[in-house]
Amino acid sequence: MNLAMLNQILEEMKDPVAVLDLHGCLLEMNEAFVSENRRILDTTIAPGTCLHDLYCNLPDWQELLQLHFKAALAGKKRSWNAQVMHDGKLVQHYKISCKPLQDTPNTPVYILFTLRPQGKVVHCSSGKEAMLFTQKAIDHSALVITLDPAGNIVLANTFASQLLQRPAEKLQGSPFGALVTDKRKWQDIWKKLQTGISVRTEICCHTSTAPIWLDMMLQPAPGAQTYLLFGMDITGRKLLEIKRKKNDHYFGEILENLPIGLQQFTAEGISIDMNSKQRDIWGEDHALFTTPGYNLLTDPFYQHNGLSQLFAEVAHKQTPVTKEILLKYTEQEYGNVTRIHPVYFEAIVFSVSEGPGAEADLFLILTEITEKKLAEISLRKSERLLDNIIENLPVGYIQFDSFGFVQRINHTQRHFLNTPESLSGVPFNVMNDRFARMFQLDMLFTQALQQNETLRLEKKVDFSQDEQWTQLGREVCLDLTVFPVEDPVDKDMIVVALVNDITEKKLQEAENLQNQEFLLQTGKVGKIGGWEVDMTTCQVRWSAETYHIFEMELGTPLDNTAALEFYTEDSRKEIDRLIKLCKEEGKPYDAHFNIITAKGNHKRINSIGQPGYKDGKLVRLYGVCQDITEQHQIRDELSRNTELMRLFFDAIDMGYAAIERDGTLNFANKKAEAMVGHSVTEGSKIFEVFPWLADTVFYNRLQECIDKQESQSFSIYFSQPNKWYDFLLTSMRDGSISVFMWDITESRKMQKDLRKANEQLSTLNKSLLNQNKQLEDFAHITSHNLRAPIANLKALMQMHNEALSLQERELYLGMVQEVIKKIDETLNDLVEVVQIRKDINVEKEKLFFAERLQKVKDVLLVDIETSGIRLTASFDKAPVIEYPRVYLDSILQNFITNAIRYRSADRPLALHLESWEEEAYTVLTVEDNGMGIDMERFGNKLFGFRKTFHKNKDAKGIGLFITKTQVEAMGGSIRAESQPGLGTKFIITFRRE
């Protein structure tokens, strides 16, 4: 039974009765209880008032009330007698009781409190005193108003003035009907009063704050044309009643529109009522709606699926029971096929009774869970699939519980760790393992768990430090992903670690980074830059080296038009034509152009471009450009060399041809033309010029020479014209192939000699290539280092010729001699460098570093003693080297004299030499504590010809250049590490034979 029903029962009771909660606070009360307490306490009570506070002015009641209320909480009914005194006189006797209201045995839910008056009210000693008492009681508890025949207020007591929130003088003369909210109801009441009929009703009146509700008795006054209105304030009760009605309607609407089915049954299983959702679940054809007296509990289908047993279990246990059941099947058509699908519901059955001893009704709640149930079935399949996936993941999988214990490791991780079989099943905790703490794996676990976030990092772990759990025994680089997951079963947090061995990847990345740096450096050395044109915006993007080639400030924005402005008129026409072909026909181009840089310098570049497409649409042009100005400048000299080569090859008694990789002939000497019997045109194909080469091993040997970059020597017999020829194919540095041909028909016996001549010619070819390279370097150095002295000499001679006095001419002649001396020194140095580069076959011998160092020390004895240098050496790791003696002595001498020449004045001079072997090389380091060099400023010029970086009068800038030349001539390399004021360290790498 709910409180609304209980309240209706209380109103039917004549005795003053109230319902208390288990804390002694008023929940509901009837009007008799309100009136009785107003009479004896001179106050108005409302729901929520605590009983102990209500009777705080009746000390005789307090102790008994507390004692019997506790007994009622224990499930016992208690009654006692009490009385009320007023000004020392007895007013009323009462019989008071506290009775527990129980939902289940020995479980009180509410306390029924009864305040029953005993006998008649004891009147005061005099009539006047009684009238005063009554008047006071009325003024404090009831509204009393007198109306005239027109319905205007004549008199109103104090309580009425307070209740209506208007002073008595303002109430007098005002129509009472104006205060009533329901005008029509007041008109009906007023008509009855005018006909002499008394009316008792509830009226709602306006106030300045909020409406009030009155339980009013309205009657004509005896013997007078006035009307008496007597009312009690029931606003609190009425508001609760209105709220309760709204709640009943609200909750009724909620139940009717619940997204779940709700149905009420008798204890025997007969349906009483259900909401619309439940009707939809059963369907209009269900026996519940078509069969009178249908009992769900006796239906065999529901006995089979367990629904009937669910009702029986609730009736027995008197507690709610939940179960998932297959309630019905539905049919769905797919074309000509009808499929039957199960429909699952979660069924909740519970009982509700109106009170103790009352028969309980059973309620059924049905919630469709078909999708959830099918998802669970799918989930179980997915879990099995997930188990297989985890076990066979290509990365390691480790699962920890919230305390750090390992719960699961997949096959990949077990294979990676190579854990001994004897430790299978032994608990491992990441929080207290020494190895895990050593590499902070415990902190990683804690951070992921506490911060509830995914962590991804790369970590080096040395498994050689752990001898218990793994036999890996080496350091690896791991890609770790650690994240927390809530266990879907027990809702505990677990931590998952995905482990990927990226050791090889990191090594490859390091190698790739080194290769990228190498490519950047190669582009810088080779003066090769990249470019790109966005076809949508026409904006141009250049690499740093391209900006350097065009002598523009790095990052300067430019579009396609501005970029083409650098090209000369002829070159611009040509590149416009090539770009047009590239755009319209998709043809790449590779051509040479003349440009004028931003600083006005003329340069020659090689530009390569090609189109870039996205989804079949041209979006960009991109390519590279190379500064070939120096190559272009030496073209004349190369032409002269080519002419010399032509004269040379025309003079030798062998056929010679130079061809491209695709067989295009670039050159054929007269002997080759004599062999073929006609002149050869450059650009023709070798198999067209020499048709008898077809169907021979020549083509295969040519491809082998191209692919392997190795010389190929072989002989071929040609039936037509009945001759034998020896061939030598040699790959050139530029990718072309040199073809040497000998007619050996007359004397096959001389094959040995011819083979030797072939080898000599091959060597000569390499020598020519080397001389070409030397010629390029020599031309560059000569033009760079002789240009300024010759210009000075020319200027001095002009000034000498224009001088008027003899003294002035002698002065200029002296200056000319000084310049000639410098030119002579430069030429001598250049001759020495050329000689070093020329003597590539200089004799090598087995040398001991210690012996050669002592020899150099003997030569420089005076300088060593004078400078006070402290020379130390450590040659134990590599004491011997096979090298030209003159070169090694020169290298050691240059480093010692440089250390003495550029020593620091702040500390005693020291020089340390050390050698060791590294793969196919012998490494020598020479480290001093001298003045040092600013490598950022001078590093790229350190080994340059006649480059000096200190104000030392003895410095010539030739020693390190010669040393570098001697080292590189033997296939080695040299580099330096230095900081100003901290000394310099030279690292020389000698290639071992």
Side-chain angles (χ1 to χ4, degrees):
M1 181 184 297
N2 56 33
L3 288 177
M5 297 171 62
L6 185 61
N7 185 45
Q8 296 176 28
I9 295 172
L10 293 179
E11 290 298 333
E12 297 297 324
M13 299 175 66
K14 296 181 179 179
D15 289 334
V17 179
V19 178
L20 310 177
D21 64 14
L22 300 182
H23 301 289
C25 296
L26 292 169
L27 292 176
E28 297 288 345
M29 67 206 82
N30 63 2
E31 190 62 35
F33 186 89
V34 174
S35 300
E36 191 66 26
N37 279 280
R38 186 185 293 117
R39 186 175 71 82
I40 65 177
L41 299 175
D42 195 21
T43 185
T44 301
I45 60 176
T49 304
C50 184
L51 203 64
H52 301 286
D53 296 334
L54 184 64
Y55 300 122
C56 62
N57 293 325
L58 300 175
D60 296 334
W61 288 33
Q62 289 290 316
E63 184 176 354
L64 290 172
L65 184 62
Q66 185 175 4
L67 177 66
H68 295 307
F69 186 83
K70 288 183 178 180
L73 292 176
K76 301 176 182 178
K77 180 180 178 181
R78 289 288 186 264
S79 300
W80 72 96
N81 295 319
Q83 59 187 11
V84 176
M85 303 295 293
H86 186 72
D87 292 336
K89 298 178 181 180
L90 181 64
V91 176
Q92 181 68 62
H93 288 283
Y94 291 94
K95 183 174 183 180
I96 304 174
S97 65
C98 289
K99 178 182 178 182
L101 299 177
Q102 300 173 336
D103 186 16
T104 57
N106 301 323
T107 307
V109 179
Y110 307 106
I111 304 298
L112 185 67
F113 182 78
T114 306
L115 184 67
R116 184 177 295 113
Q118 298 294 307
K120 295 183 179 180
V121 176
V122 179
H123 295 281
C124 298
S125 57
S126 65
K128 182 178 180 180
E129 185 177 0
M131 287 296 292
L132 291 173
F133 180 78
T134 302
Q135 182 66 38
K136 184 176 180 181
I138 291 173
D139 282 343
H140 283 80
S141 61
L143 173 146
V144 180
I145 293 177
T146 303
L147 304 181
D148 62 16
N152 297 321
I153 297 175
V154 179
L155 293 172
N157 69 346
T158 304
F159 188 77
S161 177
Q162 294 173 352
L163 199 60
L164 297 173
Q165 299 179 13
R166 288 175 175 80
E169 57 270 17
K170 288 189 176 182
L171 286 174
Q172 292 178 0
S174 62
F176 181 77
L179 300 175
V180 180
T181 58
D182 191 342
K183 305 301 182 185
R184 180 176 296 180
K185 183 176 182 179
W186 172 249
Q187 290 175 2
D188 294 340
I189 295 171
W190 183 245
K191 287 178 182 179
K192 290 180 181 180
L193 287 175
Q194 288 178 327
T195 59
I197 300 174
S198 297
V199 179
R200 180 171 182 180
T201 186
E202 295 177 352
I203 295 177
C204 180
C205 295
H206 294 294
T207 69
S208 59
T209 55
I212 61 170
W213 287 87
L214 301 171
D215 182 2
M216 295 195 72
M217 174 62 72
L218 303 94
Q219 60 186 13
Q225 292 185 349
T226 57
Y227 304 94
L228 181 63
L229 280 65
F230 182 84
M232 304 296 292
D233 182 11
I234 60 170
T235 303
R237 177 176 64 81
K238 195 64 179 179
L239 292 177
L240 288 175
E241 181 180 331
I242 293 172
K243 182 177 181 181
R244 189 179 302 112
K245 288 181 179 179
K246 289 182 178 179
N247 288 342
D248 289 344
H249 176 73
Y250 175 71
F251 287 113
E253 288 293 320
I254 290 177
L255 293 176
E256 182 63 23
N257 294 282
L258 279 175
I260 59 175
L262 177 63
Q263 187 171 0
Q264 183 179 4
F265 293 85
T266 65
E268 292 76 21
I270 304 300
S271 175
I272 298 174
D273 194 9
M274 69 183 78
N275 67 355
S276 58
K277 181 66 177 178
Q278 189 75 353
R279 287 190 288 273
D280 293 340
I281 291 173
W282 293 122
E284 60 184 10
D285 297 333
H286 196 275
L288 280 166
F289 311 115
T290 60
T291 305
Y294 173 77
N295 191 319
L296 185 76
L297 305 185
T298 60
D299 191 315
F301 178 78
Y302 299 113
Q303 290 176 343
H304 176 73
N305 72 358
L307 185 59
S308 298
Q309 289 82 348
L310 204 61
F311 277 82
E313 187 176 351
V314 172
H316 174 70
K317 294 183 178 179
Q318 293 297 311
T319 57
V321 178
T322 303
K323 185 178 181 181
E324 295 179 354
I325 61 173
L326 173 60
L327 188 66
K328 59 181 181 178
Y329 292 91
T330 61
E331 295 181 353
Q332 292 186 6
E333 293 185 0
Y334 300 89
N336 298 326
V337 179
T338 301
R339 293 183 179 176
I340 298 177
H341 296 274
V343 182
Y344 294 91
F345 283 85
E346 180 184 66
I348 303 175
V349 180
F350 59 93
S351 63
V352 177
S353 65
E354 294 292 337
E359 186 176 15
D361 289 339
L362 299 178
F363 287 83
L364 170 65
I365 295 177
L366 290 178
T367 305
E368 184 175 354
I369 58 169
T370 304
E371 185 176 350
K372 171 191 169 187
K373 193 69 177 178
L374 295 177
E376 287 179 355
I377 297 172
S378 176
L379 180 61
R380 285 193 291 270
K381 294 180 180 177
S382 299
E383 286 176 349
R384 291 193 295 270
L385 177 61
L386 181 60
D387 286 341
N388 288 330
I389 292 174
I390 290 176
E391 188 65 18
N392 296 283
L393 278 174
V395 298
Y397 176 92
I398 308 176
Q399 180 177 314
F400 302 89
D401 63 16
S402 57
F403 300 101
F405 285 96
V406 172
Q407 293 180 320
R408 179 176 183 175
I409 299 179
N410 71 346
H411 171 75
T412 304
Q413 188 65 21
R414 291 193 300 271
H415 178 74
F416 170 71
L417 290 176
N418 193 18
T419 304
E421 288 293 333
S422 59
L423 294 177
S424 178
V426 178
F428 175 85
N429 191 297
V430 72
M431 298 299 295
N432 55 29
D433 181 72
R434 178 192 64 82
F435 177 74
R437 291 199 306 269
M438 179 188 302
F439 291 96
Q440 300 179 338
L441 301 180
D442 57 331
M443 297 174 63
L444 198 62
F445 169 85
T446 303
Q447 183 180 353
L449 189 62
Q450 293 181 351
Q451 299 182 8
N452 193 25
E453 62 179 6
T454 299
L455 305 175
R456 176 90 184 261
L457 72 159
E458 295 177 356
K459 194 173 189 65
K460 285 187 177 181
V461 180
D462 187 0
F463 283 100
S464 64
Q465 300 293 323
D466 180 71
E467 299 178 354
Q468 179 182 4
W469 298 100
T470 176
Q471 298 176 359
L472 191 58
R474 59 185 175 89
E475 183 182 66
V476 296
C477 187
L478 302 178
D479 179 5
L480 298 177
T481 302
V482 184
F483 54 92
V485 179
E486 184 181 64
D487 192 312
V489 178
D490 55 19
K491 304 303 180 182
D492 287 339
M493 293 301 293
I494 63 176
V495 175
V496 173
L498 301 180
V499 183
N500 190 12
D501 182 5
I502 58 171
T503 307
E504 295 297 327
K505 174 187 173 185
K506 297 304 290 185
L507 293 175
Q508 186 62 45
E509 286 179 356
E511 184 178 350
N512 291 341
L513 186 62
Q514 185 177 3
N515 290 337
Q516 289 178 5
E517 181 64 24
F518 172 75
L519 289 176
L520 288 175
Q521 295 297 328
T522 302
K524 187 174 181 180
V525 172
K527 300 180 181 180
I528 300 174
W531 60 267
E532 179 185 51
V533 180
D534 189 319
M535 300 309 298
T536 303
T537 63
C538 292
Q539 293 298 306
V540 175
R541 186 163 65 94
W542 281 355
S543 68
E545 187 58 28
T546 305
Y547 276 104
H548 180 72
I549 292 172
F550 283 79
E551 296 183 332
M552 287 189 66
E553 184 178 350
L554 183 64
T556 303
L558 70 163
D559 56 18
N560 192 33
T561 303
L564 293 176
E565 288 295 328
F566 290 102
Y567 291 79
T568 62
E569 184 177 353
D570 293 341
S571 293
R572 193 179 309 143
K573 291 179 180 178
E574 178 63 13
I575 196 170
D576 284 341
R577 184 184 69 81
L578 293 175
I579 289 176
K580 183 178 180 181
L581 289 174
C582 191
K583 290 180 181 178
E584 297 177 354
E585 301 180 16
K587 291 183 178 180
Y589 65 86
D590 182 351
H592 294 181
F593 303 100
N594 294 317
I595 64 169
I596 302 176
T597 69
K599 294 183 178 180
N601 296 319
H602 289 261
K603 287 188 177 182
R604 183 75 168 175
I605 64 169
N606 179 27
S607 180
I608 301 174
Q610 62 184 38
Y613 297 92
K614 184 176 182 181
D615 299 328
K617 180 182 178 182
L618 179 66
V619 295
R620 63 171 183 153
L621 296 180
Y622 65 100
V624 296
C625 64
Q626 181 181 16
D627 183 357
I628 58 171
T629 305
E630 292 184 4
Q631 295 93 315
H632 189 67
Q633 289 174 348
I634 64 172
R635 176 173 293 180
D636 293 339
E637 185 144 357
L638 289 176
S639 298
R640 288 194 297 270
N641 289 339
T642 303
E643 186 61 28
L644 289 174
M645 181 186 70
R646 182 181 297 276
L647 293 174
F648 170 78
F649 283 113
D650 282 344
I652 62 177
D653 188 22
M654 70 178 70
Y656 174 81
I659 62 173
E660 297 293 340
R661 297 164 70 94
D662 61 356
T664 302
L665 275 167
N666 291 332
F667 172 77
N669 69 349
K670 292 180 179 181
K671 187 68 174 179
E673 292 179 343
M675 289 178 178
V676 75
H678 56 77
S679 60
V680 175
T681 304
E682 291 185 9
S684 56
K685 299 297 183 179
I686 188 170
F687 291 103
E688 296 174 357
V689 176
F690 300 90
W692 28 272
L693 289 176
D695 300 326
T696 67
V697 297
F698 183 88
Y699 178 80
N700 292 334
R701 291 300 186 94
L702 177 61
Q703 290 301 317
E704 193 171 352
C705 178
I706 293 172
D707 295 339
K708 295 183 178 181
Q709 294 292 299
E710 295 178 353
S711 297
Q712 302 293 319
S713 179
F714 54 94
S715 300
I716 300 178
Y717 171 72
F718 299 101
S719 59
Q720 291 295 332
N722 191 24
K723 287 189 177 183
W724 280 91
Y725 286 97
D726 268 354
F727 290 89
L728 173 64
L729 307 182
T730 303
S731 176
M732 307 295 286
R733 287 196 306 174
D734 61 357
S736 62
I737 306 297
S738 288
V739 181
F740 297 90
M741 299 168 283
W742 294 270
D743 183 354
I744 59 171
T745 306
E746 297 297 329
S747 179
R748 289 291 305 278
K749 296 180 181 179
M750 299 180 65
Q751 286 182 355
K752 183 176 180 180
D753 295 338
L754 289 176
R755 189 179 301 112
K756 183 177 180 181
N758 189 21
E759 293 174 357
Q760 291 174 350
L761 285 174
S762 178
T763 303
L764 178 60
N765 187 37
K766 293 179 181 179
S767 176
L768 285 174
L769 294 174
N770 186 48
Q771 287 177 8
N772 285 340
K773 181 63 172 61
Q774 293 176 9
L775 184 58
E776 292 177 14
D777 294 344
F778 187 80
H780 178 74
I781 295 172
T782 301
S783 62
H784 183 273
N785 290 277
L786 294 182
R787 187 182 296 116
I790 291 174
N792 288 338
L793 185 61
K794 184 178 179 181
L796 288 172
M797 290 302 298
Q798 184 177 353
M799 288 186 286
H800 173 272
N801 294 334
E802 294 175 356
L804 300 177
S805 64
L806 180 61
Q807 183 178 2
E808 190 176 357
R809 289 192 185 122
E810 290 178 353
L811 174 62
Y812 287 136
L813 283 175
M815 296 172 68
V816 167
Q817 291 176 356
E818 187 64 29
V819 171
I820 292 173
K821 180 180 178 182
K822 293 295 183 182
I823 293 174
D824 183 59
E825 290 179 358
T826 300
L827 288 174
N828 289 334
D829 292 337
L830 288 173
V831 169
E832 182 178 354
V833 170
V834 171
Q835 187 62 39
I836 292 171
R837 292 182 173 180
K838 182 179 179 182
D839 293 339
I840 58 173
N841 294 321
V842 64
E843 183 181 357
K844 301 177 183 178
E845 53 185 304
K846 184 176 180 181
L847 302 175
F848 288 87
F849 280 113
E851 291 181 0
R852 302 322 303 164
L853 178 61
Q854 185 58 48
K855 178 68 176 179
V856 172
K857 287 168 64 176
D858 293 342
V859 172
L860 300 176
L861 179 62
V862 175
D863 291 336
I864 292 173
E865 292 295 334
T866 304
S867 64
I869 185 172
R870 181 169 61 87
L871 264 171
T872 59
S874 176
F875 301 128
D876 297 337
K877 297 178 182 178
V880 180
I881 185 173
E882 189 172 345
Y883 211 68
R885 179 184 300 180
V886 64
Y887 284 3
L888 184 58
D889 289 355
S890 174
I891 292 169
L892 295 175
Q893 183 171 325
N894 270 331
F895 283 129
I896 294 174
T897 56
N898 271 359
I900 295 173
R901 184 177 294 119
Y902 302 112
R903 61 183 178 273
S904 173
D906 299 332
R907 51 188 171 272
L909 176 59
L911 181 68
H912 180 70
L913 296 88
E914 185 175 356
S915 64
W916 68 87
E917 293 182 355
E918 188 174 285
E919 296 180 353
Y921 297 92
T922 298
V923 180
L924 173 67
T925 60
V926 183
E927 185 172 6
D928 64 41
N929 64 346
M931 298 167 65
I933 302 169
D934 187 343
M935 296 299 289
E936 292 186 1
R937 293 181 59 191
F938 307 120
N940 61 337
K941 301 178 181 179
L942 180 61
F943 297 99
F945 184 75
R946 290 213 172 257
K947 299 295 182 181
T948 59
F949 312 104
H950 298 92
K951 296 179 179 180
N952 190 311
K953 63 181 182 178
D954 297 329
K956 294 182 179 180
I958 190 65
L960 287 178
F961 181 77
I962 290 177
T963 297
K964 182 175 183 294
T965 303
Q966 291 171 335
V967 171
E968 291 181 347
M970 294 295 105
S973 65
I974 181 170
R975 60 187 178 90
E977 298 173 357
S978 182
Q979 293 184 27
L982 298 180
T984 305
K985 180 179 181 180
F986 293 94
I987 302 97
I988 307 96
T989 303
F990 301 101
R991 186 177 64 184
R992 293 203 303 273
E993 293 298 329

